[in-house]
Amino acid sequence: MDFIITKEKITDVLAQAKSQSKTPTLISGTWTSSHFVATVVVDDCLPAAEIHEYAHDVWYVIDGKGIFVLGGTLNNPQSNKLGEWLGESITGGESIKIKEGDVIDIPQGVAHQLDARGGRLELLIVKINYKNGQQPTHSETPWLIFN
């Protein structure tokens, strides 16, 4: 696991993203570890809406602007994998304009969707995975200090 992720590494990864698609790239950790850091580029598209039952996301907008929909209900939900749901769109969510420098905090179980049609969003994502919906224990994350 990388403890320091340089600006140069992030810039290099972002430059490799595909156009007119959503391109996630792992840059630290593994997709199934207790936490990981990734970049996501959403280029001129509307990816599926998502719910993560066992994960908490924090997204930082590196560059670009778009619309973020948070909350509400997934339309036509399909299980992507254990605890992960995808849907065509969201009903009843709040649409928020996002731009470079914004931070988006997405608790587990909350529907969310990005809309970058007509533009490009470059994001840095920190994901915290919970086993069975529970926060990780100290033995799973020994670098945490508990008082």
Side-chain angles (χ1 to χ4, degrees), residues 83-101:
E84 301 281 329
W85 294 87
L86 300 177
E88 295 172 3
S89 59
I90 295 174
T91 299
E94 181 180 358
S95 294
I96 304 158
K97 291 181 181 181
I98 59 172
K99 64 187 179 322
E100 179 181 337

Side-chain angles (χ1 to χ4, degrees), residues 34 36 52-59 104-109 125-130 135:
S34 63
F36 64 80
H52 312 291
E53 290 181 38
Y54 306 122
H56 187 124
D57 288 356
V58 178
W59 297 5
I104 306 160
D105 187 7
I106 309 164
Q108 69 185 82
I125 299 194
V126 176
K127 184 177 289 276
I128 301 141
N129 289 313
Y130 302 135
Q135 292 185 359

Side-chain angles (χ1 to χ4, degrees), residues 9-27 31 37-48 50 59-66 98 114-117 119-125:
K9 181 172 183 175
I10 293 169
T11 300
D12 182 53
V13 168
L14 293 172
Q16 297 174 35
K18 299 173 186 171
S19 60
Q20 295 185 325
S21 67
K22 178 182 176 184
T23 307
T25 305
L26 185 69
I27 57 176
W31 294 114
V37 179
T39 60
V40 173
V41 175
V42 182
D43 188 272
D44 194 20
C45 67
L46 176 67
E50 306 175 4
W59 297 5
Y60 173 73
V61 182
I62 296 170
D63 195 23
K65 60 184 177 177
I98 59 172
L114 284 169
D115 185 349
R117 290 175 289 187
R120 177 180 168 107
L121 273 166
E122 297 177 348
L123 305 150
L124 182 71
I125 299 194

